[in-house]
């Protein structure tokens, strides 16, 4: 095995081009488990921890460009206002020790259907910035990023540079079912973001299909119901029938399996419950925010 | 490959390191520092917790090569680390000339400070002897674990000590929720955690009295 230690992004891309089977290692919280248990014996490990750029984030007008290796701990403390859904999701990952090392680049690299960043990214709206030495930079919409169980849209010579996550224009929530608070892989998870600027809602479902998915039909239904009822202007409560239908459509977007963590029917049910709850929570904060802005005006 | 890094304030070198080896393995098997425990090798138990450039991490999930040039603190260096911190925080008493303290660079700074490898290898946890007052070499959090009876088999203890000490450094007045959160990555099969909570509360209270 060779241990490659590029000191810059350009060097990293050159190394990946030269050794397309090299396994990038950032926080190592997925890669090292595989190596420790002999599940993986790559010819080359490509260490990304010397590349400072990957640990920076920048706030743009509409989105945050989040370096691939910014650890979850910093997402929680530094980006709670801009990326509330992702910050909430980050807080549910593993333990402080893991959150100090692991980040969204590694979560995307692994592309596990249970990865906690995915529902939050799908709900907020995001693009993955990837690059190769041969072809330069390209942006992959988050909806096109997950291509199969633990498979993503990266080419062998590409690395993830950053994720551009839309800054929140409304309340966001993240909810996860597991056996306890810390150190659990999601039985299933749900992210919801209200986008009052465009009067849309976006969702993200984790661990309930071969890849993380959005519940497109549920999103359309809810946006139409909120529009028709004049809810965005009035801020009035979402009728229970609408919430129920939204929950059902979210359950319907699942394509889960039975496994040791839960059965398919439990997952479908739980996603519906989380959809209804996160809708209530986010809508309550939308109403609350409206009241305070109106009060101030 | 060779890995050169700082462990407990002293430069160290490990040779013939396999490229897929973990930092935990290097510490235990190559440097002879078995304080950090190996219980799961998959990040679940926290018994291998060390500070990497100040940050608590599972050393079983850090590739040895990633530690190149970095600063590690293990449980063997915790007492010295705590002493350095106390020294750096202590108000200067004879500072009438206005000259600044050249060694006031805080924990982790290299120089003459730190725990030599031989001393770290020979390190033993002596509790404070109520008769002799011996045992001042323990970090406050270590003493508190002994006094509160938070150690049974002791396998989880090194990781808990490193994690708890780091929390107390950041947050001198932790709530119970803060303590639980900070220690949520450390499993203990023996104690049921209550005595561990007592120990960290005790360490926090003593730290508060000392200032
Ligand atoms: C005990 C434990 C508990 C966990 N709990 C959770 C949890 O609750 N929720 C959750 O979502 N995850 C969990 N994980 C998994 C893991 O922590 C996350 O997936 C984390 O985000 C991985 O990030 P990393 O930087 O450590 O990735 P690494 O292990 O360094 O890399 C992961 C994958 O991504 C690739 N990669 C990394 N960076 C790049 C890049 N810039 N470009 C291209 N490819 C890249 C690597 O080659 C590898 O395939 C847990 C892991 C452990 C050990
Ligand atoms: S041995 Fe590293 S977390 Fe268990
Ligand atoms: S595991 Fe035995 S004392 Fe914690």
């Amino acid at each position: 095995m060779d241990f490659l230690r590029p000191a810059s992004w350009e060097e990293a891309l050159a190394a990946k081009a030269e050794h397309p089977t090299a396994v990038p290692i950032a926080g190592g919280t997925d890669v090292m488990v595989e190596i420790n248990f002999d599940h993986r014996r790559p010819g080359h490990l490509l260490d990304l921890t010397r590349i400072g750029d990957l640990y920076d984030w920048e706030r743009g007008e509409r989105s945050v460009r989040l370096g691939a290796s910014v650890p979850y701990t910093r997402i929680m403390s530094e980006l709670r206002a801009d990326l509330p859904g992702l910050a909430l999701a980050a807080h549910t990952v593993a333990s402080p020790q893991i959150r100090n090392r692991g980040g969204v680049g590694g979560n995307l690299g692994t592309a596990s259907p249970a990865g906690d960043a995915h529902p939050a990214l799908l709900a907020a709206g995001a693009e993955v910035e990837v690059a190769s030495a041969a072809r330069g930079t390209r942006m992959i919409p988050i909806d096109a990023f997950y291509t199969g169980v633990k498979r993503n849209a990266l080419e062998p010579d590409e690395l993830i540079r950053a994720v551009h996550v839309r800054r929140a224009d409304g309340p966001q929530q993240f909810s996860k079912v597991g056996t306890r608070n810390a150190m659990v892989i999601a039985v299933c998870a749900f992210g919801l973001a209200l986008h009052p600027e465009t009067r849309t809602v976006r969702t993200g479902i984790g661990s309930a299909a071969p890849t993380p998915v959005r519940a497109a039909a549920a999103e359309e239904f809810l946006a139409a119901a909120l529009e028709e009822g004049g809810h965005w202007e009035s801020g009035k409560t979402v009728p229970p029938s609408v919430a129920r239908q939204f929950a059902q459509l979210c359950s319907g977007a699942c394509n889960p399996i039975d496994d040791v963590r839960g059965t398919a029917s439990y997952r479908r049910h739980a996603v519906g419950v989380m959809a209804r709850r996160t809708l209530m929570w986010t809508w309550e904060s939308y109403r609350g925010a409206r009241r305070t802005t109106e009060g101030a005006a | 490959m060779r890995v050169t890094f700082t462990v407990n304030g002293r430069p160290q070198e490990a040779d013939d390191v396999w490229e897929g080896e973990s930092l935990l393995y290097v510490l235990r098997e190559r440097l002879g520092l078995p304080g950090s425990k190996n219980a799961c090798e998959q990040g679940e138990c926290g018994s291998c917790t060390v500070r990497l450039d100040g940050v608590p991490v599972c050393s079983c999930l850090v590739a040895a090569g990633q530690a190149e040039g970095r600063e590690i603190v293990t449980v063997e260096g915790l007492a010295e680390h705590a002493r350095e911190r106390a020294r750096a925080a202590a108000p200067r008493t004879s500072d009438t000339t206005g000259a600044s303290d050249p060694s006031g660079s805080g924990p982790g700074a290299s120089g003459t400070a730190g725990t030599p490898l031989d001393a770290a290898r020979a390190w033993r946890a002596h509790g404070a002897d109520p008769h002799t007052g011996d045992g001042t070499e323990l970090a406050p959090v270590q003493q508190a674990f002994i006094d509160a009876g938070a150690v049974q088999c002791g396998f989880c203890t090194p990781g808990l000590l490193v994690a708890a000490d780091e929390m107390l450094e950041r947050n001198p007045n932790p709530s119970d929720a803060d303590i639980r959160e900070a220690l949520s990555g450390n499993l203990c099969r023996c104690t049921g955690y209550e005595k561990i909570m007592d120990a960290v509360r005790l360490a926090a209270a003593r730290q508060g009295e000392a200032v």
Side-chain angles (χ1 to χ4, degrees):
Chain A
M1 197 186 285
D2 269 340
F3 197 84
L4 307 172
R5 249 184 295 220
S8 69
W9 181 237
E10 290 69 31
E11 274 180 51
L13 291 178
K16 190 66 172 135
E18 195 182 338
H19 310 283
T21 57
V23 172
I25 176 167
T29 61
D30 281 319
V31 172
M32 285 305 287
V33 174
E34 293 185 319
I35 292 178
N36 288 346
F37 284 81
D38 235 336
H39 294 156
R40 205 164 186 179
R41 261 306 111 94
H44 298 85
L45 276 178
L46 179 60
D47 178 26
L48 300 178
T49 56
R50 324 248 138 209
I51 303 169
D53 297 344
L54 299 180
Y55 292 85
D56 287 338
W57 60 266
E58 302 149 49
R59 185 185 286 113
E61 203 179 311
R62 299 201 57 80
S63 57
V64 168
R65 181 177 186 234
L66 177 68
S69 297
V70 174
Y72 291 117
T73 305
R74 284 182 49 212
I75 297 175
M76 287 159 54
S77 60
E78 297 167 21
L79 287 165
R80 192 162 287 274
D82 289 293
L83 312 178
L86 188 63
L88 286 168
H91 202 160
T92 75
V93 172
S95 65
Q97 288 94 325
I98 306 278
R99 294 197 290 268
N100 284 340
R101 290 290 283 173
V104 174
N107 217 235
L108 289 168
T110 300
S112 158
D116 287 318
H118 314 317
L121 295 177
L122 286 166
E127 286 182 310
V128 185
E129 179 186 339
V130 307
S132 61
R135 299 177 308 288
T137 298
R138 68 177 175 126
M139 302 290 273
I140 307 174
I142 193 70
D143 298 76
F145 187 79
Y146 311 107
T147 55
V149 180
K150 298 207 172 184
R151 293 233 308 266
N152 61 35
L154 283 186
E155 298 294 336
D157 63 344
E158 286 179 328
L159 293 172
I160 302 169
R161 169 62 183 82
V163 197
H164 298 243
V165 192
R166 284 248 302 276
R167 290 172 57 194
D169 61 316
Q172 303 186 346
Q173 273 293 345
F174 176 82
S175 182
K176 171 173 170 182
V177 174
T179 41
R180 65 187 193 112
N181 261 338
M183 207 64 98
V184 283
I185 302 181
V187 176
C188 51
F190 191 82
L192 180 67
L194 303 184
H195 298 285
E197 274 178 18
T198 48
R199 299 196 170 181
T200 54
V201 287
R202 286 176 63 114
T203 58
I205 300 176
S207 254
T211 65
V213 290
R214 284 169 65 191
E219 294 176 3
E220 279 162 32
F221 162 79
L222 182 58
L226 294 174
E227 193 65 59
E228 270 163 39
H231 290 272
W232 293 108
E233 300 87 10
S234 68
K236 66 177 186 250
T237 315
V238 178
S241 61
V242 170
R244 213 176 308 121
Q245 177 78 13
F246 174 67
Q248 260 168 26
L249 289 166
C250 288
S251 289
C254 301
N255 180 15
I257 54 166
D258 292 329
D259 69 10
V260 287
R261 282 177 284 135
T263 62
S265 67
Y266 175 74
R267 287 190 159 99
R268 224 175 262 120
H269 172 76
V271 163
V273 172
M274 289 190 290
R276 190 164 38 76
R277 285 188 191 157
T278 52
L279 173 57
M280 291 309 150
W281 296 334
T282 47
W283 194 257
E284 274 311 304
S285 24
Y286 175 69
R287 283 154 52 85
R290 271 176 42 87
R291 272 198 295 275
T292 35
T293 39
E294 272 167 17
Chain B
M1 66 178 172
R2 166 175 293 185
V3 181
T4 308
F5 58 147
T6 303
V7 183
N8 298 328
R10 296 288 176 109
Q12 304 294 349
E13 246 175 44
D15 278 315
D16 301 321
V17 174
W18 174 59
E19 286 70 16
E21 209 161 290
S22 69
L23 171 61
L24 176 63
Y25 190 92
V26 171
L27 291 170
R28 291 178 55 88
E29 310 298 336
R30 303 205 185 271
L31 297 182
L33 298 176
S36 313
K37 298 297 176 225
N38 177 0
C40 76
E41 283 197 300
Q42 52 179 313
E44 295 272 354
C45 75
S47 59
C48 65
T49 303
V50 302
R51 306 267 299 259
L52 171 70
D53 285 350
V55 176
V57 302
C58 296
S59 59
C60 70
L61 299 183
V62 176
Q66 295 184 305
E68 174 73 31
R70 310 276 184 201
E71 294 197 5
I72 309 295
V73 175
T74 70
V75 71
E76 290 96 338
L78 201 63
E80 179 61 26
H81 179 79
R83 262 196 298 280
E84 286 281 307
R85 180 171 60 217
R87 219 174 286 151
R92 284 171 209 138
T93 42
S94 57
D95 201 4
T96 45
T97 61
S100 66
D101 176 6
S103 69
S105 40
S110 41
T112 52
T115 310
L117 200 55
D118 287 345
R121 281 184 185 139
W123 198 87
R124 296 278 180 284
H126 299 294
D129 184 327
H131 302 294
T132 63
D134 253 5
T136 42
E137 65 268 55
L138 288 181
V141 70
Q142 291 172 309
Q143 189 61 53
F145 265 61
I146 293 177
D147 296 345
V151 183
Q152 288 189 27
C153 81
F155 211 77
C156 66
T157 310
L160 278 163
L161 289 170
V162 173
D165 182 70
E166 190 269 348
M167 180 202 60
L168 290 169
E169 189 174 298
R170 258 187 304 121
N171 178 0
N173 293 306
S175 66
D176 279 7
D178 295 338
I179 301 175
R180 285 181 195 281
E181 165 100 23
L183 304 185
S184 61
N186 295 77
L187 297 184
C188 173
R189 303 291 311 260
C190 303
T191 63
Y193 300 102
E194 284 308 322
K195 303 266 181 189
I196 292 171
M197 294 292 296
D198 290 346
V200 181
R201 286 187 206 108
L202 181 63
R206 285 178 179 166
Q207 183 174 283
E209 279 163 22
V211 241

